Amino acid sequence: MKFIIKYILIFPAAFYIGQWIVQNLPKRKFLKAIEITMALDIFMAFLLFIYPISFLYNDRGELSGFQGTFLEAGWFSLVLGALTLTSILIRLDYGLKFTNFHYLLYFFAIVSQFLSKNKTIWLALLIIMFFLVFIKMFISKDSKIKNSVLKLRKINSFNFIAIAILFLIIFFGINLMLDKPIISIAMIEEKLNDERGKAFLAAITLLQNSDWLGSYGFGFIQQYFSVYTDEIIGLDADSSMIFNSYLDVWISVGLIGLLYHIILLKMSFSISHLFTLIIPVYWFIFSNTNPTMGVEEYYLFLGIAYGLTLNNKKEEIN
C-alpha cells in the first residue's frame, strides 16, 4: 500500500512542485532556498559526525560516513550533489553572480562528499564531463538555447578531458593516503561478487522467469529477499528495492512502469539549459547504481528541470 501511495500521490506531487516552484518563484529566491538547505545539510553532517545524536543519526559502524540526518551516507551524498549542481548550474544559466559565500559553500560540499565515502558521486561527475564532450557536437546557435550552453560549445573538449584526468589523479592520490581508502580492490570485488553484481544477476533471473515482462507487484522484492537462500549484502527482509532503480520498477510494475520513468527522464532533459542538460543525466547515473526512484528528490529535481524547459517554451512563444 505504501508503494501505491508513493507512486500515485507523493512522487507525482514532488514532480509537480518542482516544476511549479521554478516557474513561479524568482530564481534568486529559489536558489536561496536551495543554498540554505545545502548549508544546513552540511552543518548537520559535521555536527552529527562529531556528536552523534541517536534519534537523528543512523550509526552503521565501519560503513558510516558523513550523512547528517539522512538514513545513510549514500543518500546524503546524492542529495547534496544534486543541490550543489543546482546552485552552480542555475547561476550559470541565468548569469547570477557567485560570491565568497558560494565558493565557501561549494568547498565544504566537496569536503563533505569525500567524508561521506560515497563512490557513485565521483563516477557521476566523471561521466557527466565525458557526456558534455559528446553532447557539444549537437549544440547549435539556436535562440532557444541559453547563453551558458552556447559558452559550453566554445570550450575546447581537451579541457574537459584534462580536468577529468587531473580529477582522477587527485582523487586516487587522496584515496591512497587514507587509512581506510574510499575505493580498494577488495571493495570492488565484494561489490561485484557479494553485493551489487550478485543482486543484478538475481534481478535478471527474475525477469527471465517472467518472460521479461516483470510485473511481480509492489512489495515483491521485500518478500522475495526475506526468504532468498543465497546471501546478498544489503538485501534482506528490510529491503524494499534492489540497487538499480530501472530493474526495480521493471520487476515491480513491468515494462509500462519502466517506459513511464524513461518518458519522465526524457521530458526533463533538454539542451536549452546547463541544468536540464546535466541534472537528468546525474539522476540517470545514480538510478543505475541506487534505488533512487524510491525517494521524492528524484521526482522533485526532474520536475525542476521540466519546469525550466516549459519556461523556455514560453519565452519562445512570447
Side-chain angles (χ1 to χ4, degrees), residues 40-225:
L40 287 173
D41 284 342
I42 293 168
F43 171 76
M44 289 303 297
F46 275 92
L47 177 66
L48 293 178
F49 187 77
I50 299 168
Y51 300 107
I53 302 170
S54 58
F55 71 92
L56 291 176
Y57 184 74
N58 178 36
D59 189 355
R60 302 182 71 210
E62 290 185 359
L63 296 174
S64 292
F66 262 39
Q67 64 191 61
T69 54
F70 288 83
L71 183 63
E72 58 179 79
W75 292 119
F76 166 75
S77 177
L78 167 62
V79 175
L80 180 61
L83 291 169
T84 306
L85 284 173
T86 299
S87 173
I88 294 170
L89 296 174
I90 290 186
R91 285 190 174 279
L92 290 172
D93 279 330
Y94 290 92
L96 303 176
K97 69 176 184 177
F98 293 89
T99 66
N100 290 334
F101 165 76
H102 295 108
Y103 296 127
L104 194 64
L105 190 63
Y106 303 149
F107 170 77
F108 278 107
I110 291 171
V111 170
S112 298
Q113 290 288 4
F114 269 107
L115 295 174
S116 74
K117 303 178 184 177
N118 182 263
K119 279 74 67 177
T120 310
I121 183 70
W122 308 114
L123 176 65
L125 293 178
L126 275 174
I127 292 174
I128 285 168
M129 276 193 273
F130 287 114
F131 171 75
L132 291 177
V133 173
F134 170 76
I135 204 72
K136 270 159 51 64
M137 69 179 72
F138 298 103
I139 297 171
S140 60
K141 291 183 178 179
D142 196 320
S143 59
K144 69 180 182 180
I145 294 175
K146 286 287 178 186
N147 190 48
S148 56
V149 181
L150 288 176
K151 287 181 179 177
L152 169 66
R153 184 173 177 265
K154 296 174 184 176
I155 298 173
N156 192 322
S157 296
F158 175 78
N159 293 339
F160 282 110
I161 296 169
I163 290 169
I165 293 170
L166 179 64
F167 171 81
L168 281 171
I169 292 170
I170 292 172
F171 179 84
F172 281 105
I174 294 172
N175 189 62
L176 288 171
M177 290 188 289
L178 297 173
D179 292 334
K180 293 181 180 178
I182 298 171
I183 296 176
S184 66
I185 299 297
M187 181 273 295
I188 294 172
E189 288 178 347
E190 181 183 69
K191 287 193 175 293
L192 289 175
N193 298 327
D194 301 309
E195 193 195 68
R196 279 167 164 77
K198 201 171 184 178
F200 177 81
L201 294 176
I204 293 299
T205 300
L206 286 171
L207 290 171
Q208 285 177 329
N209 292 341
S210 68
D211 295 324
W212 301 101
L213 296 175
S215 301
Y216 284 94
F218 287 123
F220 169 80
I221 289 172
Q222 191 167 7
Q223 184 181 24
Y224 181 76
F225 285 103

